[in-house]
Amino acid sequence: MRSAPEAIRSLPANTTYGTLHCGSNPGGPCNETTGLGGSRPCAGTCKTEYHEYAMELDRSGGTEELRRYVDGEQFHSVKETAVDTRTWADATHHGHFLLLNLAMGGGFPDGVSGQRTPTPATQPGGSLSVDYVSVESTGGASK
């Protein structure tokens, strides 16, 4: 997206966010509506260059972990011990789907910048470009 609503422009420039949402809103085990999240600056420019974003659900060890990456560098993780057993199972032990979305409005970035969107300055017509999507699975324990 080459231009962003004013509220997004007020966030740290070239930043990637990743968040686990689960449970009930407001509050709940994942602190909704904020969620359990992390962020990191992008290498280069998030808005004008392609980057590789990845999410890994690791079930190979004694403690499961969800990890997020940008360009091969991990920037966020949540271990199953961060929430109760039922919440983790409800969030991770089922099929998943991929949603590619260019959203306007909603609660984000309210928890980060204190601003709700859309604002009167919000303009439609943004774009989202995706070069490719890959879903991979490796061996190991699965539930």
Side-chain angles (χ1 to χ4, degrees), residues 10-48:
S10 69
L11 295 174
N14 296 318
T15 301
T16 297
Y17 296 87
T19 306
L20 174 64
H21 293 283
C22 61
S24 59
N25 185 20
C30 286
N31 191 33
E32 300 304 343
T33 56
T34 304
L36 300 176
S39 64
R40 76 169 286 254
C42 288
T45 314
C46 293
K47 297 177 185 178
T48 59

Side-chain angles (χ1 to χ4, degrees), residues 4 20 53 115 119 127 138:
L20 174 64
Y53 300 89
Q115 299 178 24
T119 69
S127 63
T138 60

Side-chain angles (χ1 to χ4, degrees), residues 16-18 38-40 53-54 68-70 73-77:
T16 297
Y17 296 87
S39 64
R40 76 169 286 254
Y53 300 89
R68 291 185 183 1
Y69 301 83
V70 175
E73 293 184 29
Q74 182 180 330
F75 75 93
H76 180 250
S77 69

Side-chain angles (χ1 to χ4, degrees), residues 64-139:
E64 294 183 6
E65 186 174 7
L66 179 67
R67 299 182 194 104
R68 291 185 183 1
Y69 301 83
V70 175
D71 297 329
E73 293 184 29
Q74 182 180 330
F75 75 93
H76 180 250
S77 69
V78 178
K79 292 185 180 205
E80 69 178 308
T81 55
V83 296
D84 63 86
T85 302
R86 173 67 188 235
T87 298
W88 183 262
D90 287 349
T92 64
H93 294 182
H94 52 75
H96 295 86
F97 62 92
L98 178 65
L99 173 66
L100 301 174
N101 178 0
L102 178 61
M104 289 180 60
F108 184 80
D110 192 43
V112 177
S113 70
Q115 299 178 24
R116 297 223 18 116
T117 59
T119 69
T122 301
Q123 296 292 316
S127 63
L128 172 67
S129 297
V130 177
D131 187 39
Y132 71 93
V133 174
S134 173
V135 177
E136 300 172 23
S137 179
T138 60

